[in-house]
């Protein structure tokens, strides 16, 4: 399992050292529905720091997120050519605009038919062993969210 380097294991937010209290009713709703609303679960300072880290990260990786959306659509396509060549087709899309155009050619409206973009592994470290988004890494690996 992944562990933070020793020097960064001390949390910069005290909340990550605690165990959250989630009501039995909320846990039951999660079990039944697969999601639950946890109002005020994270303090404002944590949310602001996450926002500060994630907005630039999202901008930097937007093309990869759009390519992933195209690849998913191609993999589910009724066209054998699209399914068999999803990866190569996707990798030839070198702009977000081209991703939008391609999705439109598949009969999709990229602004309404896709509910969200996915950004993968934002909790991981870079090749220099420095967290890409330190607060994301800290929160994902914390006891608080375990």
């Amino acid at each position: 399992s992944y562990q933070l380097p020793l020097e960064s294991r001390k949390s910069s937010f005290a909340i990550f050292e605690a165990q959250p209290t989630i009501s039995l009713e909320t846990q039951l709703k999660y079990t039944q529905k697969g999601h639950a609303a946890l109002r005020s679960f994270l303090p404002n300072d944590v949310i602001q720091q996450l926002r500060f880290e994630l907005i630039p990260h999202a901008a930097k990786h937007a093309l990869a997120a759009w390519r992933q959306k195209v690849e998913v659509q191609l993999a589910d396509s009724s066209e054998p050519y699209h399914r068999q060549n999803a990866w190569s087709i996707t990798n030839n899309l070198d702009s977000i605009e081209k991703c939008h155009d391609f999705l439109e050619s598949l009969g999709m409206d990229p602004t309404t038919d896709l509910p969200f973009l996915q950004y993968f592994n934002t909790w991981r470290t870079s090749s220099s062993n420095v967290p890409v988004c330190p607060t994301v890494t800290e929160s994902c690996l914390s006891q608080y969210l375990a």
Side-chain angles (χ1 to χ4, degrees):
S1 79
Y2 177 84
Q3 288 201 359
L4 285 171
L6 285 174
E7 64 276 4
S8 55
R9 287 192 192 164
K10 180 75 175 110
S11 176
S12 55
F13 295 100
I15 191 166
F16 292 136
E17 303 293 331
Q19 288 284 355
T21 303
I22 301 171
S23 73
L24 191 56
E25 178 185 2
T26 300
Q27 292 177 48
L28 183 58
K29 284 181 184 176
Y30 177 79
T31 303
Q32 294 170 340
K33 297 181 178 183
H35 65 275
L38 299 173
R39 308 275 183 241
S40 302
F41 186 70
L42 293 174
N44 242 3
D45 59 338
V46 173
I47 292 169
Q48 291 304 319
Q49 185 61 33
L50 288 167
R51 185 176 187 274
F52 177 78
E53 293 173 16
L54 288 170
I55 288 176
H57 180 80
K60 182 178 178 182
H61 298 281
L63 178 57
W66 278 104
R67 282 179 170 169
Q68 187 269 343
K69 286 297 182 189
V70 171
E71 189 172 3
V72 167
Q73 296 308 312
L74 291 174
D76 289 341
S77 173
S78 60
E79 297 288 327
Y81 175 81
H82 284 157
R83 286 193 312 274
Q84 293 165 0
N85 296 290
W87 188 82
S88 61
I89 293 169
T90 302
N91 280 338
N92 285 323
L93 299 172
D94 59 4
S95 71
I96 294 170
E97 183 179 350
K98 287 183 182 177
C99 292
H100 285 203
D101 292 345
F102 194 86
L103 289 166
E104 288 170 354
S105 77
L106 297 174
M108 299 187 70
D109 181 342
T111 60
T112 59
D113 292 341
L114 303 172
F116 59 89
L117 292 175
Q118 287 184 271
Y119 295 87
F120 294 96
N121 301 317
T122 53
W123 63 273
R124 291 199 175 177
T125 59
S126 68
S127 59
S128 61
N129 206 28
V130 175
V132 175
C133 296
T135 308
V136 173
T137 302
E138 185 178 343
S139 59
C140 287
L141 300 176
S142 71
Q143 276 298 116
Y144 192 73
L145 296 183

